Amino acid sequence: IIQLEVLNGCGMPGVAEKFTDFLRRRNFDVVQSGNYRSFDIDNTMVIDRSGNKANAEKVADALGIERKFIIQQLNNDYFLDVSLVIGKDFNQLNPNN
């Protein structure tokens, strides 16, 4: 089971909840959701936190995110596999189609 957080990086109210519901219906374990530090994110990003890029790729594939938007920021203080930062392109992704 892939554990992740869903963060709103675009400022659209309710977008993190919509993506959380979509991912939970697909058996991803969303452990928290909230706002990213900025609402200026243009492209939705999947951030690998654990060093297992395959988990990040599964999240990206489920949402229809191109793999070029997967980045790796390993952090031992995070007790999750992936951070999803929703950008202004959220309307083009699977939860909205």
Side-chain angles (χ1 to χ4, degrees):
I1 295 200
I2 299 170
Q3 293 187 315
L4 71 149
E5 65 179 346
V6 176
L7 302 172
N8 182 342
C10 67
M12 179 65 67
V15 74
E17 292 81 7
K18 184 174 191 173
F19 276 68
T20 295
D21 292 344
F22 178 89
L23 288 164
R24 285 183 173 155
R25 285 193 307 271
R26 283 152 185 82
N27 298 315
F28 292 94
D29 183 11
V30 179
V31 295
Q32 72 181 41
S33 65
N35 290 327
Y36 191 58
R37 63 179 176 250
S38 163
F39 288 146
D40 293 329
I41 304 302
D42 289 324
N43 296 300
T44 300
M45 304 181 281
V46 179
I47 305 171
D48 170 19
R49 299 288 190 190
S50 66
N52 185 346
K53 194 171 180 187
N55 286 339
E57 290 170 349
K58 287 177 186 172
V59 172
D61 292 347
L63 294 168
I65 298 169
E66 292 180 57
R67 292 194 175 186
K68 68 181 180 181
F69 296 115
I70 297 173
I71 60 175
Q72 196 170 50
Q73 290 181 350
L74 303 182
N75 187 334
N76 292 332
D77 295 332
Y78 278 83
F79 295 102
L80 45 83
D81 301 302
V82 172
S83 296
L84 173 68
V85 181
I86 303 166
K88 295 176 184 175
D89 63 345
F90 70 93
N91 277 324
Q92 301 163 20
L93 302 176
N94 288 343
N96 294 294
N97 294 329

